[in-house]
Amino acid sequence: MRIRPVTLVLCMVLLAAVAAIAVIAPGTMEAKEKLAIELAATPTPTADVRSMLQVTIDPRNTPTPTPLLLKLGAQNDEVRRLQQRLKELGFYTGEVDGQFGQGTQASVILFQEQHGLTADGIAGEGTRTRLYSQSAQTFIPTPTPAPTPASLLKKGDQGDDVRRLQERLKELGYYAGSLDGDFGGGTEEAVRLFQRQNGLGVDGSAGKQTFALLYSEGAKQVTITPTPDPNTLPILVNRDHPIDEDFEPRHLVKLTNVVPSSVAKIKGSDIEGDRTAVNALIEMLKAAHADGVTNWQVSAGYRSYRYQQKLFDQQVQEYRGQGFTQANAVSATRQTVADPGTSEHHTGLAFDLTVPGTIFKGTPEQIWLHKHCWDYGFIIRYPEDKEKITGYIAECWHVRYVGLPHSQDMRDRNLCLEEYLDVN
Ligand SMILES: [Zn+2]
């Protein structure tokens, strides 16, 4: 076997090194063992140091985001939002303070149990997705059996039967008022909401059918519309975007039940509106009163598809009576009455505001409305300078609730709804 010179040189170097260690280091076995242990403990150097550095500075090598787990001890805005939602649904009764304490944990567990989720008290992705969905149920307490009163209960009634009715409506989440045994506007709204959400005829009085369902296993908990998300764009209803024939707003309230008579006259006891929009309307009109502008009337609100059909047909008949042909009567009607399905009033988000006994245009109310409605989530839906775009002759009395910040944004950029939705 031939030994190559290179190997020979290496062997000599190695021998020299061993000799050097033998000379320098103390010749005890103990020291040699120590050295061996230290050498073994030293990490093996990485072959390529540059590759390590590259890993560190590679911009693509960002850490995987940790999924947001809200649990005991957490404290932030997301916890606040969680508490707010749990409260809306009746699972949480504590303070909305953004601090995930025992109470929040207990209500998360209640929510999870009722929805068939792992009841660990931690609000992870799964729990929160369910919580903010339309299918989130309200808290179901232990059902209470109660007797059915012999007679129909309606607005104006008083007594223990009414109190029991309020109690049951409260358990199911429909009623938030006091259990005073007094069947007022608030109780009527609760009965109407129960009837609407449980597929009964909506009349606001509690008769046999309503009572039977109210105390049955089939009584549904109230479905609460989630807090409106300001990022959601407003719904567009016009001739090109008709609403479905079966569309019905989720939570209609009767204006006479919720708008104080000192705030506005309600023309007709049947005028209804979407709860959120009506609340904004009340706030707006109260602000007008504070400014000394007080003579308000609500002339129109929610209209069903069928009702709009009736209005349309009536107007066509009127033109026919004036000698118009059918085609001309229809096209003339379209100038002022929306085709069924194309009226914003179907959404429950539009109202016609007037001053009793006079033309609205030019009144202090009209001037105030056009200046301030934007700050309360309303827009002037059919302005004069947008007739070509909206397709409607200006209606200075018709306001539409779109919510904040959309209304202010539309004012600041002078956009009507069609333009706003196109440019967004
Ligand atoms: Zn209108």
Side-chain angles (χ1 to χ4, degrees):
M1 183 181 166
R2 244 183 87 214
I3 297 167
R4 283 189 294 172
V6 176
T7 316
L8 202 65
V9 169
L10 274 176
C11 283
M12 284 168 74
V13 169
L14 204 66
L15 277 170
V18 168
I21 288 169
V23 171
I24 296 162
T28 60
M29 276 301 287
E30 205 186 337
K32 276 184 189 166
E33 274 167 18
K34 232 180 188 172
L35 182 69
I37 291 166
E38 274 175 24
L39 283 171
T42 311
T44 318
T46 309
D48 186 357
V49 177
R50 276 172 309 162
S51 74
M52 275 180 82
L53 287 173
Q54 275 168 3
V55 168
T56 318
I57 58 169
D58 185 354
R60 287 166 304 176
N61 189 31
T62 48
T64 316
T66 319
L68 183 58
L69 292 176
L70 299 180
K71 56 186 177 185
L72 200 62
Q75 188 178 343
N76 54 43
D77 278 349
E78 205 46 48
V79 173
R80 187 184 299 276
R81 186 161 171 250
L82 177 79
Q83 291 170 328
Q84 182 67 44
R85 181 62 175 152
L86 285 167
K87 194 161 200 163
E88 276 176 2
L89 298 172
F91 290 91
Y92 183 62
T93 50
E95 226 177 290
V96 178
D97 56 6
Q99 297 187 20
F100 200 120
Q102 306 276 355
T104 307
Q105 188 182 43
S107 53
V108 169
I109 290 173
L110 278 179
F111 177 84
Q112 290 170 327
E113 281 173 350
Q114 193 176 306
H115 292 78
L117 302 164
T118 309
D120 57 4
I122 299 170
E125 287 295 321
T127 298
R128 280 180 297 124
T129 301
R130 189 70 197 275
L131 187 65
Y132 297 113
S133 75
Q134 301 274 349
S135 69
Q137 303 161 5
T138 50
F139 177 53
I140 303 173
T142 328
T144 337
T148 306
S151 65
L152 175 104
L153 293 179
K154 58 183 186 314
K155 204 170 170 179
D157 287 346
Q158 285 179 327
D160 281 348
D161 283 346
V162 175
R163 195 180 44 73
R164 274 191 291 273
L165 171 70
Q166 291 172 328
E167 223 165 64
R168 181 62 178 150
L169 287 165
K170 196 161 206 165
E171 277 174 0
L172 295 170
Y174 294 93
Y175 182 65
S178 59
L179 307 174
D180 56 5
D182 205 336
F183 200 127
T187 307
E188 187 181 71
E189 278 314 310
V191 171
R192 281 160 44 83
L193 189 59
F194 174 79
Q195 292 171 327
R196 191 181 303 281
Q197 291 196 0
N198 287 269
L200 297 167
V202 180
D203 63 4
S205 54
K208 249 188 201 150
Q209 239 192 342
T210 299
F211 271 110
L213 191 52
L214 197 57
Y215 291 104
S216 77
E217 295 267 308
K220 280 190 216 148
Q221 287 279 315
V222 71
T223 309
I224 294 171
T225 317
T227 314
D229 178 354
N231 296 316
T232 307
L233 289 173
I235 180 174
L236 176 67
V237 178
N238 63 20
R239 292 196 180 99
D240 299 328
H241 300 85
I243 212 160
D244 195 83
E245 193 172 342
D246 303 322
F247 175 87
E248 194 172 15
R250 285 165 61 88
H251 193 163
L252 287 172
V253 291
K254 248 190 193 183
L255 267 59
T256 46
N257 280 335
V258 293
V259 181
S261 55
S262 59
V263 165
K265 190 181 165 195
I266 310 300
K267 194 180 172 188
S269 61
D270 287 337
I271 296 182
E272 296 170 288
D274 171 88
R275 180 180 58 164
T276 306
V278 172
N279 286 342
L281 181 73
I282 294 168
E283 202 196 330
M284 174 172 76
L285 295 183
K286 279 184 175 170
H289 278 262
D291 286 349
V293 181
T294 60
N295 202 2
W296 297 99
Q297 174 172 260
V298 183
S299 308
Y302 168 69
R303 277 181 210 148
S304 69
Y305 191 97
R306 218 167 46 176
Y307 182 76
Q308 190 70 19
Q309 183 75 60
K310 200 175 92 183
L311 280 185
F312 193 88
D313 294 345
Q314 278 173 355
Q315 187 63 54
V316 169
Q317 283 314 306
E318 204 176 309
Y319 282 123
R320 291 285 279 157
Q322 292 170 26
F324 282 59
T325 65
Q326 176 69 17
N328 286 348
V330 167
S331 66
T333 298
R334 287 202 169 122
Q335 293 297 313
T336 53
V337 183
D339 279 271
T342 69
S343 167
E344 275 209 319
H345 287 283
H346 294 319
T347 61
L349 302 170
F351 302 99
D352 291 345
L353 298 180
T354 54
V355 170
T358 182
I359 290 171
F360 190 56
K361 197 172 179 179
T363 59
E365 282 71 15
Q366 181 259 307
I367 293 160
W368 190 96
L369 184 70
H370 283 226
K371 189 172 175 199
H372 298 287
C373 70
W374 318 90
D375 292 324
Y376 300 90
F378 286 95
I379 59 168
I380 303 300
R381 180 67 177 88
Y382 306 115
E384 276 173 25
D385 59 336
K386 304 288 183 186
E387 286 178 353
K388 285 211 173 87
I389 302 164
T390 63
Y392 280 86
I393 292 171
E395 290 187 2
C396 64
W397 58 86
H398 178 110
V399 289
R400 157 72 196 277
Y401 181 75
V402 292
L404 294 169
H406 304 295
S407 53
Q408 289 172 333
D409 199 13
M410 290 166 75
R411 170 195 60 198
D412 295 344
R413 294 155 70 195
N414 186 32
L415 300 175
C416 67
L417 190 55
E418 280 81 3
E419 293 173 303
Y420 183 69
L421 295 174
D422 276 345
V423 296
N424 258 273

